[in-house]
Amino acid sequence: MGCCSGRCMLIFLCTLQVMTALERQAFDFLGYQWAPIMVNFLQIIMVILGLFGTIQYRPRYVVLYLLWTLLWVTWNVFVCCFYLDLGGLSKESDLLSLGVSSHLSWWKDNGPGCDNRDLPATRWQSLESPKLIYALGCWLEYQYIEVLHCIIQLLISLLGFVYACYMVSTFTEEEDSCM
């Protein structure tokens, strides 16, 4: 594989990362998730810098993209654990909303296939159990949507990481051959 095809693939992956981050940003805005919103903005900025570094043959920007990708992968693993209630984390905590929002996530009531027409008037599951009912019979609950977003981001980021490593090695080989 030549340098041109590696560059084209990294440009494609960076573009795909920006598009999926923007889509995920909309989900996070509707869910009042302020910490992921800030991290998504950083993701978009760093991917654009990586894209710039790839197009302009600037290995420092690509290395910055590589380092950010490691942090991004870590963040996505954390979010997966958070929504799956792994490692002592709970999706019911206000950790991702930074404790500043008293709103419930829009996705709890309006996820794909959620049926809100037959909710009981009190919305309490039973008098003995004070668990509030958000929606009846969702096709896919909101936490699984978030986990799917994370998995997609992880796969694209890992591919981007591999191609960015290839591009950095190509850039350094070209610099060494010019000397």
Side-chain angles (χ1 to χ4, degrees):
M1 175 181 350
C3 177
C4 184
S5 61
R7 272 184 63 215
C8 291
M9 187 61 170
L10 187 57
I11 290 170
F12 170 73
L13 289 171
C14 285
T15 306
L16 194 59
Q17 281 182 320
V18 169
M19 290 176 12
T20 56
L22 287 172
E23 184 263 342
R24 187 174 176 184
Q25 192 78 316
F27 274 78
D28 290 337
F29 271 119
L30 289 171
Y32 301 103
Q33 304 297 313
W34 304 117
I37 288 169
M38 291 186 296
V39 175
N40 285 337
F41 277 126
L42 286 174
Q43 165 70 355
I44 292 167
I45 290 167
M46 293 305 211
V47 170
I48 289 172
L49 285 175
L51 190 59
F52 172 76
T54 302
I55 293 170
Q56 296 294 319
Y57 291 98
R58 310 274 184 182
R60 288 183 181 161
Y61 289 107
V62 179
V63 169
L64 180 66
Y65 166 78
L66 281 169
L67 294 173
W68 172 256
T69 300
L70 293 175
L71 290 172
W72 182 246
V73 167
T74 304
W75 170 257
N76 280 290
V77 169
F78 165 75
V79 172
C80 282
C81 292
F82 181 82
Y83 280 110
L84 294 175
D85 294 332
L86 299 173
L89 299 168
S90 171
K91 65 183 168 285
E92 300 302 324
S93 74
D94 61 354
L95 184 64
L96 293 183
S97 66
L98 300 176
V100 297
S101 179
S102 61
H103 300 291
L104 292 175
S105 174
W106 182 83
W107 291 106
K108 286 185 179 181
D109 290 333
N110 300 297
C114 288
D115 186 17
N116 294 334
R117 292 177 298 207
D118 300 324
L119 283 176
T122 61
R123 293 186 74 158
W124 293 101
Q125 200 169 27
S126 69
L127 294 176
E128 299 84 35
S129 171
K131 186 173 182 181
L132 187 62
I133 299 174
Y134 295 111
L136 294 174
C138 290
W139 177 74
L140 189 62
E141 292 184 32
Y142 75 99
Q143 67 265 22
Y144 300 119
I145 294 170
E146 287 290 342
V147 170
L148 286 173
H149 276 125
C150 288
I151 291 170
I152 290 168
Q153 290 284 335
L154 282 168
L155 292 175
I156 295 170
S157 295
L158 291 174
L159 280 173
F161 184 83
V162 169
Y163 276 97
C165 287
Y166 173 73
M167 290 310 301
V168 168
S169 70
T170 304
F171 290 159
T172 55
E173 285 175 10
E174 287 177 5
E175 286 176 2
D176 290 343
S177 66
C178 290
M179 292 182 169

